[in-house]
Amino acid sequence: MESKNIVVIGSLNFDIIVKQQRMPKKGETFIADELIQGPGGKGANQAAQCAKLGLPTIMIGKVGDDRFGNALLGSLTAVGVNTSYIKKLGSTGMGIVHVMPDGDYYSTIVKGANDLITVEDIDEVSHVLEASSFIVLQQEIPDEVIEYVISKYKHTNGKIVLNNAPARVIKENILKCVDILVVNETEASFMVGKSIKSVSDAIDMGKEMLPLTGGMIVITLGKEGSVVITPSYSEFFPAENVLAVDATGAGDSFIGALIYALSGDLPIDECMKFATHVSAITVTKEGGQHSFPTQEDIESILFKN
Ligand code: RIB
């Protein structure tokens, strides 16, 4: 087996994205502008972005034995993700996303088959995990699976990336084995119990959390940009100034691009700039995975500038 596989263990959701001017008030029926349906789920999104950039990517997860599951498998396969280890059981996880005119979104998920992944499923693919260069996890699958994967594979060559989204309390011994922790400002605030009001707050919070992790933290700050904190380095990377129409999956696109750049052994500042650029392209288009750029899209956009 190729030893440079990216293995994503996570959720696959069928997303219903509703574009609307504002959220309804209590008891109000609000008329939306547009509905977009398509593949989503934080795990599948991150896998899709890795594959769209050309990384050999394997997705491990569960979809329902229904038309949504078939659609998700089809779209992930189409972008080059190896879906042969995804099982079918129950009903497919769903994402209901409300997108506002400035691109900001409010997201709710129904776990469905994502919640049926077990440690036995992980044992069946141990050969895949042992040969990975990155093991990528989020928090839309059961806790015990995440803890099992991190505990079992912490000493393999693959770096463990944990996107603590949606944010959960992570046991100390588990967090310590995470090589790269990626969170947005809401998730970081949940973890530390303080709010982030500025870039320097984010860097300070990252520094506070760093000793609890395996050594690198990225905090994304939406329209502001992102910060990276390592034991020897911290820096703010401003977001690119683009016209955002839909931020659904932008964080996942950022993570996929970051993994792509890290797997090319680029210096960390170059990795962060690349991820910033890729997610900037993502927010300029509607929808989730469909808006993620390929390597070709990035080159053509750079060429136009
Ligand atoms: O990060 C965006 C994703 O979160 C959506 O695709 C939705 O399915 C939820 O998982």
Side-chain angles (χ1 to χ4, degrees), residues 92-105:
T92 297
M94 304 291 288
I96 317 293
V97 187
H98 301 270
V99 179
M100 303 301 121
D102 62 358
D104 278 348
Y105 70 91

Side-chain angles (χ1 to χ4, degrees), residues 13 15 40-42 45 95 107 109 140 249 252:
N13 293 333
D15 281 354
K42 295 185 194 302
N45 289 348
S107 176
I109 57 161
E140 292 183 335
D252 302 323

Side-chain angles (χ1 to χ4, degrees), residues 45-234:
N45 289 348
Q46 292 169 23
Q49 183 64 85
C50 289
K52 280 183 133 182
L53 292 172
L55 288 175
T57 308
I58 298 174
M59 175 89 205
I60 295 175
K62 275 189 176 145
V63 292
D65 194 4
D66 50 29
R67 69 188 172 93
F68 296 120
N70 291 336
L72 296 183
L73 290 179
S75 56
L76 260 196
T77 307
V79 297
V81 175
N82 179 341
T83 58
S84 54
Y85 301 100
I86 298 175
K87 291 185 179 175
K88 284 185 173 181
L89 189 65
S91 51
T92 297
M94 304 291 288
I96 317 293
V97 187
H98 301 270
V99 179
M100 303 301 121
D102 62 358
D104 278 348
Y105 70 91
Y106 299 80
S107 176
T108 306
I109 57 161
V110 181
K111 290 181 187 171
N114 298 306
D115 209 30
L116 304 177
I117 304 173
T118 63
V119 294
E120 289 76 21
D121 293 326
I122 300 302
D123 282 341
E124 285 174 28
V125 293
S126 58
H127 60 294
V128 175
L129 287 158
E130 273 153 20
S132 62
S133 56
F134 285 86
I135 296 175
V136 186
L137 299 147
Q138 317 74 31
Q139 298 279 22
E140 292 183 335
I141 61 171
D143 259 344
E144 65 268 23
V145 172
I146 291 167
E147 289 174 7
Y148 185 72
V149 170
I150 295 177
S151 311
K152 188 166 174 191
Y153 296 99
K154 62 187 177 200
H155 296 308
T156 55
N157 287 331
K159 285 202 181 313
I160 294 183
V161 180
L162 177 64
N163 174 210
N164 191 22
R168 285 188 201 158
V169 173
I170 306 171
K171 289 181 186 151
E172 258 177 51
N173 61 322
I174 298 293
L175 189 56
K176 195 69 198 159
C177 303
V178 171
D179 297 300
I180 303 166
L181 174 73
V182 186
V183 281
N184 65 21
E185 71 260 53
T186 309
E187 293 145 3
S189 299
F190 170 86
M191 291 180 79
V192 177
K194 291 182 202 165
S195 60
I196 294 180
K197 296 200 182 73
S198 63
V199 168
S200 65
D201 281 355
I203 291 183
D204 289 347
M205 197 177 276
K207 286 182 176 165
E208 194 176 329
M209 279 197 281
L210 193 67
L212 305 173
T213 73
M216 177 166 146
I217 297 181
V218 173
I219 305 178
T220 57
L221 305 169
K223 293 183 182 76
E224 291 297 313
S226 56
V227 296
V228 64
I229 300 100
T230 74
S232 55
Y233 169 76
S234 60

Side-chain angles (χ1 to χ4, degrees), residues 234-254:
S234 60
E235 193 172 344
F236 167 59
F237 295 85
E240 291 180 12
N241 193 8
V242 292
L243 183 63
V245 298
D246 187 347
T248 311
D252 302 323
S253 169
F254 181 98

